[in-house]
Amino acid sequence: MANVGRFKDRNADIRAAGVSSAVDTENTTGNCLIVMHPEEVAEQLIRAECKRLKLKNGGQLFPETPCLPTVSVPELLAIEKSKSRFTVFKEKFSEDMYLRQAKLAEAKPTGSKPDSVTNWSRTFGRETTAKEQRLYDLVLPPKKPEQVNQEYGQFHDKYIVSHNHYFPAEQINRKYKQPFDRQDTFGEATRGDTSGQSAKRCMQQCSGHVIIISKEQMDFIDRTYSRLGKKFKKYPAPVPQYMTYGTPTHVPDCDCKMLVEDIAPCKSDKHLVDALGHLNMWRHKLQKRADFHMFDLISVLEHSDKTETRELPAQKIFEVMHKMHLYIDIHKMRVILSLFHMLIDEGCTTERVNYDDFCRLLNIQHPLPTMGNIFTMPPNVYNKDTTYRLLCSDLSKEPVKAAPMRPRRPKQLDDDGTHVKDLLSPDISTLYGLAPSDFQFLRPRDQLQLIFKDIVNTEDFESIWHQLTQAHNEQHGQFSVQQFRDVMDNLEPATQVQAVNA
């Protein structure tokens, strides 16, 4: 079925020549090697059934019998496969005759030139004068930066039309005509202050400090707040005992920290905290004011400094600030100056302040001088066993000392003491992780006694130790395992048998 449509049997009615051989129709080689697609088997069965019905009914099928097409869908789509070789050759010859374009990677043949003129024998085009000139210089000739900028500026108006691209900060020319003038100011000029210094006056409701309250605002106040000395309407009939009307005048000195830590309030610390808060407020306030510059204050103070020592009395500095409408609290600032030790000759008639340091103190761009804790630490602040302190109590304990490290083996001694025999047939001690240096390392008496306690009894050990002491007096009472074994091997046979039995 794969070759349907490629070949045509023009002698379908003529039988093949020769004598037909008697074959087994059931067990033939063709039947054994048939490998067909299920669709092809189904199509063959349908065709056989249709042929049988056609013969049975005199050449007519039943009306409801489906009529299978003789041409499949792949045959209809593959038109080129149904063409003969002559038809394909004819179409290709016609295309080559009337095709005006050359084929891919081939030169177009022309009949108006001699046969000797080819693309390899002749060079077409005009020859350049400079033969050694580079192609890059020929396409893009070198130019100076001044020439490039000049040409770019001359062509900029055309570049705006083509790309709608302007220079940075270039004003768009919309090409308006007269009476339009882009240099004029649009709108009516006002007499308002652009600096914003008069914004507060403009936001006031009316002159004379008269506040106008509308009826809607008054109704909101009546619904939300209670009048002074009167009960709020939304409160229940029996007023609770804990409710207090108005603002309390007495502020208690004790806070939650004092109750928890069981400490007494300190009046001096409170005044110092208020002074630091006042200084921090003025540092932020001077930074936000647009009509004030620290340089102006320094210039006025320099003008008042007749002696040019950069020092003025504190009272003089405060008077200058009040003239500049900087109403700073004098008492709180004196506490701050005393805290940072900026008062020279404090308490004397010659008391003065360096106004450069004073202006640096008011400038928020400079940090405040460092100081210690301003609060008085109570004596019982660390007498409470909190969870964190209990977790950190292990820090006061002595750390557990680690076991003494075993001395490292001398690697060079192990390399020198290892032979081929040790690699081919290693000892039992080597298989358990011991090295030759372990047998050559000098050890004290207690280690040797611990090593040989199951091999040598006490009397033999004392005898061996006495011989090692006499033979190796320069080792200061330390001997190796190999030295101990050499002396043990030289003992009397009876002693050796007794040691082996032990």
Side-chain angles (χ1 to χ4, degrees):
M1 296 298 291
N3 296 322
V4 172
R6 296 191 178 185
F7 307 99
K8 293 183 179 179
D9 190 4
R10 294 181 174 84
N11 300 319
D13 299 335
I14 301 176
R15 298 181 63 181
V19 181
S20 59
S21 59
V23 296
D24 188 2
T25 58
E26 296 181 357
N27 299 324
T28 59
T29 307
N31 295 335
C32 296
L33 297 177
I34 288 177
V35 179
M36 293 186 298
H37 197 271
E39 295 181 358
E40 296 178 355
V41 176
E43 183 179 358
Q44 192 271 338
L45 294 176
I46 293 175
R47 287 183 183 275
E49 183 68 18
C50 291
K51 186 177 181 180
R52 187 182 65 80
L53 294 175
K54 184 176 181 181
L55 295 175
K56 181 178 180 181
N57 297 310
Q60 294 183 358
L61 297 174
F62 292 108
E64 60 272 8
T65 303
C67 182
L68 296 177
T70 57
V71 183
S72 61
V73 176
E75 293 177 0
L76 294 175
L77 297 178
I79 302 175
E80 296 294 335
K81 295 181 180 181
S82 61
K83 296 180 181 179
S84 61
R85 297 180 63 184
F86 179 77
T87 305
V88 174
F89 173 75
K90 182 180 178 180
E91 291 178 355
K92 184 178 180 181
F93 181 76
S94 301
E95 291 179 358
D96 295 343
M97 183 184 301
Y98 298 101
L99 188 62
R100 296 184 179 182
Q101 296 181 358
K103 296 182 179 180
L104 184 62
E106 294 183 3
K108 183 180 179 181
T110 56
S112 61
K113 67 178 181 62
D115 296 338
S116 61
V117 178
T118 60
N119 291 337
W120 293 273
S121 62
R122 299 294 179 88
T123 302
F124 299 92
R126 185 175 59 183
E127 185 179 2
T128 57
T129 55
K131 295 183 179 181
E132 298 181 357
Q133 188 177 6
R134 297 187 307 167
L135 178 61
Y136 187 86
D137 297 338
L138 184 63
V139 177
L140 294 175
K143 298 180 181 179
K144 296 182 179 180
E146 295 81 3
Q147 184 180 359
V148 174
N149 296 334
Q150 183 180 2
E151 293 178 358
Y152 181 73
Q154 293 175 358
F155 193 74
H156 180 63
D157 54 346
K158 304 177 183 60
Y159 194 71
I160 291 176
V161 176
S162 61
H163 293 75
N164 195 20
H165 178 75
Y166 293 86
F167 286 132
E170 180 182 2
Q171 188 178 6
I172 299 177
N173 185 10
R174 305 187 184 277
K175 299 181 181 179
Y176 292 138
K177 298 180 180 179
Q178 295 295 335
F180 173 79
D181 187 7
R182 63 179 183 178
Q183 302 297 334
D184 284 344
T185 302
F186 301 94
E188 183 180 358
T190 60
R191 294 177 296 174
D193 187 10
T194 58
S195 62
Q197 296 182 5
S198 303
K200 181 179 179 180
R201 184 185 63 186
C202 296
M203 295 179 66
Q204 291 179 356
Q205 295 181 358
C206 58
S207 58
H209 301 286
V210 177
I211 300 176
I212 300 175
I213 300 177
S214 61
K215 186 177 183 303
E216 290 79 4
Q217 184 179 1
M218 199 64 192
D219 293 342
F220 174 77
I221 293 175
D222 292 340
R223 291 194 309 268
T224 310
Y225 303 98
S226 61
R227 295 298 180 91
L228 183 63
K230 292 184 179 181
K231 183 181 70 173
F232 192 54
K233 297 179 181 179
K234 291 185 179 181
Y235 288 156
V239 180
Q241 297 294 332
Y242 59 84
M243 188 170 295
T244 303
Y245 297 95
T247 304
T249 57
H250 175 68
V251 179
D253 298 331
C254 184
D255 54 1
C256 182
K257 181 181 178 181
M258 297 177 184
L259 293 175
V260 173
E261 299 291 343
D262 192 16
I263 58 178
C266 182
K267 298 293 184 180
S268 60
D269 295 345
K270 184 177 183 303
H271 295 317
L272 186 55
V273 170
D274 295 341
L276 289 173
H278 183 73
L279 173 63
N280 192 26
M281 178 194 67
W282 270 100
R283 284 164 63 91
H284 287 275
K285 185 183 294 186
L286 296 178
Q287 178 69 17
K288 295 179 180 178
R289 290 186 60 170
D291 58 338
F292 174 77
H293 296 281
M294 193 63 65
F295 179 75
D296 299 337
L297 178 60
I298 296 176
S299 300
V300 176
L301 294 176
E302 287 180 350
H303 184 71
S304 302
D305 186 13
K306 304 300 181 181
T307 58
E308 298 181 359
T309 57
R310 315 295 293 181
E311 295 176 357
L312 287 175
Q315 189 64 27
K316 181 66 177 179
I317 295 176
F318 296 143
E319 290 177 1
V320 172
M321 293 183 66
H322 288 177
K323 290 180 181 179
M324 297 179 65
H325 303 284
L326 302 176
Y327 300 101
I328 195 168
D329 194 333
I330 299 176
H331 300 286
K332 293 182 179 180
M333 285 306 300
R334 288 189 63 88
V335 174
I336 295 298
L337 295 176
S338 177
L339 174 66
F340 295 129
H341 304 287
M342 298 178 63
L343 290 173
I344 304 174
D345 298 339
E346 183 178 359
C348 302
T349 56
T350 59
E351 184 181 79
R352 57 196 184 277
V353 179
N354 189 330
Y355 52 83
D356 290 333
D357 297 339
F358 181 79
C359 294
R360 196 178 297 110
L361 186 66
L362 295 177
N363 194 353
I364 199 173
Q365 297 179 358
H366 295 276
L368 290 174
T370 57
M371 60 179 181
N373 191 4
I374 62 175
F375 293 98
T376 303
M377 299 301 296
N380 57 347
V381 69
Y382 294 113
N383 62 346
K384 297 176 180 61
D385 292 335
T386 60
T387 304
Y388 179 76
R389 292 172 184 172
L390 292 175
L391 291 175
C392 298
S393 61
D394 293 340
L395 297 176
S396 60
K397 300 179 181 178
E398 295 184 0
V400 179
K401 296 183 179 180
M405 295 180 60
R406 183 179 179 182
R408 294 184 178 181
R409 302 170 179 174
K411 188 175 182 306
Q412 186 64 28
L413 183 60
D414 293 340
D415 296 342
D416 297 341
T418 304
H419 305 285
V420 179
K421 178 183 178 182
D422 299 332
L423 298 177
L424 296 177
S425 58
D427 297 337
I428 299 177
S429 60
T430 306
L431 296 177
Y432 279 92
L434 295 177
S437 60
D438 294 331
F439 298 95
Q440 303 294 334
F441 185 72
L442 299 180
R443 303 174 185 274
R445 177 187 176 94
D446 52 351
Q447 291 187 12
L448 292 175
Q449 191 172 7
L450 181 63
I451 293 172
F452 294 97
K453 67 177 182 178
D454 297 333
I455 301 174
V456 181
N457 54 18
T458 307
E459 298 178 358
D460 294 339
F461 183 83
E462 294 293 339
S463 177
I464 295 172
W465 184 263
H466 181 68
Q467 296 181 19
L468 289 174
T469 306
Q470 294 180 354
H472 306 283
N473 191 17
E474 69 280 358
Q475 296 183 7
H476 305 288
Q478 292 186 354
F479 309 101
S480 64
V481 176
Q482 186 63 33
Q483 294 175 353
F484 193 92
R485 291 176 59 182
D486 294 341
V487 177
M488 186 178 64
D489 294 339
N490 296 329
L491 289 177
E492 296 180 359
T495 307
Q496 294 181 3
V497 172
Q498 186 179 359
V500 171
N501 295 330

